[in-house]
Amino acid sequence: MKISMISEHASPLAALGGVDAGGQNVHVAALSEALAKRGHHVTVYTRRDATELPARVRVGRRLEVVHVDAGPACHVPKDELLPYMGELADGVARDWGHRPPDVVHGHFWMSGVAALDAARRPHQGYRVPVIQTFHALGTVKRRHQGAEDTSPLERRWLEPGVGRSADRIVATCSDEVFELKAMGITTGKISIAPCGVDLGFFSAEGPVAARKRTHRILSVGRLVPRKGVDLVIRALPYLREAGFEDVELLIVGGGGDSGALHADPEVRRLMDLATELGVSDQVSLQGQVSRGEMPGIFRSADAVVCAPWYEPFGIVPLEAMACGVPVVAAAVGGLRDTVVDHGTGLHVPPRDPEAIASALALLLEDPILRAELGSAGKKRARTRYSWDRVAAETEKAYQLAMAGAAAGIVPMEGAAL
């Protein structure tokens, strides 16, 4: 199968951890690699965001990345990229020429706009089936962020239009299916294929990073308010009241190394909070670390806390589970699928630091429970979330889209694409 991926702001080659780099970069890179290993030919199209980037980068025998000129060749925040989606579609269609792919897979709603534009050009004599993965939905973002949502206004009608016009949607969790249905998208054309984890890299066996205190709690991810890192800091006084004083909270993530972190407003907010609560001596911010260090850091933790306001999927819980570490997860979005309550970790209500502390206290006082949950998490990661299995499920979605297109089934057209 000849597959085109469009990922407008999230290049699989990008370094992780920046403001607009993260889970989608990992997802696109790993899924593309897994599909290529299954014998497919995959081309990932992304926007050129630096002048020195080559036009094409060969990643493997069946995998390449193409940088398309669409807007200025510099970093542009993803919420400001919509005006350049026409140029992105033009570049993709130009690269296809008269030999289009079997399917095109858009990642994020703006990539879906470009994918539909490139795929449906009657004058070029083809109509390529379009598969869409949203990664995050504007309706959910607006619900939780309100006036702080920086998405362009057009997202309100273009995103549902992409969903209605795509031949098939690949949702990453069951919660997303309900959100899509509420947007007026028929569930009959939705497949579910979660994110995966690199099981050859993240495992319970291997070196363990040193820690400073008896217990270590770990938080990993971008330092933005919606990730809820402040909630984990707020849980520390409750843990102290419960008798757990010798506890360190290690926070990994942010826009730079540990030396540059304090220029980050969110870092200052978190550290001011820790000082205000009298727990600054228990909180360490490590900034970005190399990928090679992460498995050892996961293994060093008694528990990993993921406490976002909302989460379309979340890769960190999978990485923790693959390393045999229990997860305390807010019961939101995709975390309700990946983390099994009292099976591979513990669910807590969103935005509830006292509940986080109670869950952590339960784990810290019971090493047998920690071991049981960690072992079950490792097994779940291996049986459900390998990238080969995710690629196989995505492959089925492609086949359904192609079969529908061959049968002349045309999806309901969305508005103003």
Side-chain angles (χ1 to χ4, degrees), residues 23 25 53 66 79 131 143 171 176 196 254 282 286 300 314 335 404 415:
N25 303 72
L53 290 173
V66 174
D79 287 331
I131 292 86
R143 187 184 309 147
E176 186 181 348
Q282 294 179 255
Q286 195 156 340
S300 73
L335 301 186

Side-chain angles (χ1 to χ4, degrees), residues 142-186:
R142 288 194 298 275
R143 187 184 309 147
H144 290 277
Q145 294 195 2
E148 295 181 5
D149 178 13
T150 57
S151 300
L153 181 63
E154 295 92 333
R155 184 175 188 176
R156 293 174 181 258
W157 60 87
L158 286 177
E159 186 170 63
V162 168
R164 290 191 292 268
S165 297
D167 294 272
R168 194 150 197 91
I169 295 172
V170 177
T172 55
C173 66
S174 55
D175 184 70
E176 186 181 348
V177 177
F178 294 111
E179 296 288 350
L180 291 167
K181 184 178 180 181
M183 290 165 58
I185 296 166
T186 177

Side-chain angles (χ1 to χ4, degrees), residues 124-243:
Q124 291 188 273
Y126 57 70
R127 182 188 182 283
V128 181
V130 176
I131 292 86
Q132 175 66 23
T133 296
F134 285 103
H135 293 277
L137 293 170
T139 52
V140 179
K141 189 176 182 182
R142 288 194 298 275
R143 187 184 309 147
H144 290 277
Q145 294 195 2
E148 295 181 5
D149 178 13
T150 57
S151 300
L153 181 63
E154 295 92 333
R155 184 175 188 176
R156 293 174 181 258
W157 60 87
L158 286 177
E159 186 170 63
V162 168
R164 290 191 292 268
S165 297
D167 294 272
R168 194 150 197 91
I169 295 172
V170 177
T172 55
C173 66
S174 55
D175 184 70
E176 186 181 348
V177 177
F178 294 111
E179 296 288 350
L180 291 167
K181 184 178 180 181
M183 290 165 58
I185 296 166
T186 177
T187 56
K189 69 171 186 179
I190 302 174
S191 299
I192 296 180
C195 194
V197 61
D198 184 346
L199 297 169
F201 185 72
F202 291 99
S203 71
E205 295 74 37
V208 178
R211 63 190 193 186
K212 301 175 182 177
R213 293 176 177 257
T214 302
H215 297 293
R216 169 175 280 182
I217 302 164
L218 180 62
S219 173
V220 179
R222 287 183 293 148
L223 296 185
V224 292
R226 75 169 184 86
K227 291 294 185 179
V229 178
D230 60 322
L231 299 170
V232 193
I233 295 174
R234 292 182 186 278
L236 293 176
Y238 291 110
L239 270 179
R240 183 176 289 176
E241 290 175 9

Side-chain angles (χ1 to χ4, degrees), residues 93-405:
R94 187 163 51 246
D95 192 66
W96 289 348
H98 296 291
R99 301 181 64 186
D102 296 301
V103 295
V104 56
H105 188 165
H107 292 268
F108 197 58
W109 70 275
M110 278 187 277
S111 292
V113 171
L116 287 162
D117 185 352
R120 297 177 183 175
R121 298 189 170 197
H123 64 280
Q124 291 188 273
Y126 57 70
R127 182 188 182 283
V128 181
V130 176
I131 292 86
Q132 175 66 23
T133 296
F134 285 103
H135 293 277
L137 293 170
T139 52
V140 179
K141 189 176 182 182
R142 288 194 298 275
R143 187 184 309 147
H144 290 277
Q145 294 195 2
E148 295 181 5
D149 178 13
T150 57
S151 300
L153 181 63
E154 295 92 333
R155 184 175 188 176
R156 293 174 181 258
W157 60 87
L158 286 177
E159 186 170 63
V162 168
R164 290 191 292 268
S165 297
D167 294 272
R168 194 150 197 91
I169 295 172
V170 177
T172 55
C173 66
S174 55
D175 184 70
E176 186 181 348
V177 177
F178 294 111
E179 296 288 350
L180 291 167
K181 184 178 180 181
M183 290 165 58
I185 296 166
T186 177
T187 56
K189 69 171 186 179
I190 302 174
S191 299
I192 296 180
C195 194
V197 61
D198 184 346
L199 297 169
F201 185 72
F202 291 99
S203 71
E205 295 74 37
V208 178
R211 63 190 193 186
K212 301 175 182 177
R213 293 176 177 257
T214 302
H215 297 293
R216 169 175 280 182
I217 302 164
L218 180 62
S219 173
V220 179
R222 287 183 293 148
L223 296 185
V224 292
R226 75 169 184 86
K227 291 294 185 179
V229 178
D230 60 322
L231 299 170
V232 193
I233 295 174
R234 292 182 186 278
L236 293 176
Y238 291 110
L239 270 179
R240 183 176 289 176
E241 290 175 9
F244 296 96
E245 296 187 5
D246 198 25
V247 177
E248 64 172 320
L249 168 60
L250 179 64
I251 301 169
V252 176
D257 59 27
S258 57
L261 273 177
H262 292 281
D264 186 327
E266 179 64 6
V267 170
R268 291 199 300 271
R269 183 180 79 89
L270 294 174
M271 293 312 297
D272 287 347
L273 175 64
T275 300
E276 177 188 334
L277 295 174
V279 295
S280 59
D281 61 321
Q282 294 179 255
V283 179
S284 299
L285 283 99
Q286 195 156 340
Q288 289 185 32
V289 302
S290 69
R291 184 172 183 269
E293 293 178 80
M294 282 310 304
I297 291 174
F298 276 117
R299 295 182 200 117
S300 73
D302 293 303
V304 174
V305 182
C306 301
W309 305 348
Y310 65 96
E311 187 62 73
F313 186 80
I315 292 175
V316 170
L318 292 184
E319 295 173 343
M321 287 160 55
C323 291
V325 181
V327 180
V328 174
V332 296
L335 301 186
R336 289 184 289 193
D337 284 1
T338 52
V339 179
V340 179
D341 190 28
H342 287 86
T344 66
L346 300 173
H347 286 181
V348 294
R351 304 201 193 196
D352 190 338
E354 191 168 2
I356 293 171
S358 296
L360 287 170
L362 188 63
L363 293 174
L364 297 184
E365 71 183 3
D366 192 341
I368 295 176
L369 177 62
R370 292 202 305 271
E372 289 176 346
L373 296 179
S375 178
K378 181 173 64 173
K379 181 178 179 181
R380 181 170 173 80
R382 291 195 169 276
T383 57
R384 181 69 185 92
Y385 296 106
S386 72
W387 275 113
D388 183 64
R389 176 167 177 171
V390 173
E393 292 172 351
T394 305
E395 190 179 281
K396 291 176 184 175
Y398 293 168
Q399 291 165 346
L400 288 169
M402 291 167 62

